[in-house]
Amino acid sequence: MVASSSAYSLDELCALASLPRRTVRYYIQRGLVDRPVGETRAAYYTEKHLRQLLQIRNWSEAGLSLEAIGGLLADEATEPPLPRPTVGSVTVRSHLSVAPGIELVVDPGEAGMDPDGLRQLFTVIKKAHQDIVARAGDATAKQTQEKRR
């Protein structure tokens, strides 16, 4: 079979993903990758299969176990897919720093928020974070006092 932009043989898929056949078959057996389209020698793989394999390979190289990867893939399957941007489209997102290590990313248009609504959301989240940190600090101080007794 000659590879086109949307149909690959198992060997072509493995070459594109830089994975051995045995690994790809194992991922399919574990349900991490969709089964091929069709049966026996007529079966073929699509861009979706390639994307799945590349994502699994990236996560695996980052140190995630296959169990963790399976969980991530299950979570992705339950979330509605985001619309693909069209050529020339612009997406604006607001990145709001709540505290060191915490950033809120909002697409105001998709969230249906005007600047005032976004400021209100940020204020509520920042206050909630401050309350959590204060409670954690109080608990730590209380534990320290109890240890001194």
Side-chain angles (χ1 to χ4, degrees):
M1 172 190 273
V2 176
S4 70
S5 63
S6 61
Y8 306 108
S9 69
L10 179 58
D11 288 335
E12 291 165 334
L13 182 71
C14 292
L16 290 168
S18 299
L19 291 169
R21 290 171 63 114
R22 184 175 180 176
T23 300
V24 172
R25 286 187 175 133
Y26 181 68
Y27 290 166
I28 293 169
Q29 178 187 356
R30 294 233 11 205
L32 299 174
V33 174
D34 294 342
R35 297 193 57 76
V37 178
E39 299 283 329
T40 64
R41 292 187 182 267
Y44 65 92
Y45 301 85
T46 65
E47 292 289 329
K48 180 179 179 186
H49 294 98
L50 180 58
R51 284 192 306 274
Q52 289 173 330
L53 288 171
L54 293 175
Q55 185 64 67
I56 292 167
R57 192 184 76 199
N58 288 341
W59 282 334
S60 182
E61 288 173 354
L64 294 174
S65 69
L66 290 181
E67 288 75 24
I69 291 170
L72 290 170
L73 292 171
D75 288 346
E76 282 185 359
T78 59
E79 295 177 9
L82 295 174
R84 296 191 72 132
T86 58
V87 175
S89 67
V90 175
T91 302
V92 177
R93 290 191 171 86
S94 298
H95 294 255
L96 307 167
S97 180
V98 177
I102 302 175
E103 181 181 41
L104 175 65
V105 180
V106 180
D107 180 335
E110 189 174 336
M113 300 185 84
D114 62 9
D116 287 335
L118 194 56
R119 275 191 284 279
Q120 289 174 359
L121 175 66
F122 176 73
T123 302
V124 169
I125 291 173
K126 188 173 179 183
K127 174 76 170 102
H129 173 260
Q130 290 169 342
D131 291 348
I132 291 168
V133 170
R135 280 195 301 268
D138 291 345
T140 302
K142 191 174 186 179
Q143 289 174 351
T144 304
Q145 288 176 353
E146 289 176 2
K147 287 180 183 178
R148 289 183 183 163
R149 291 182 190 173

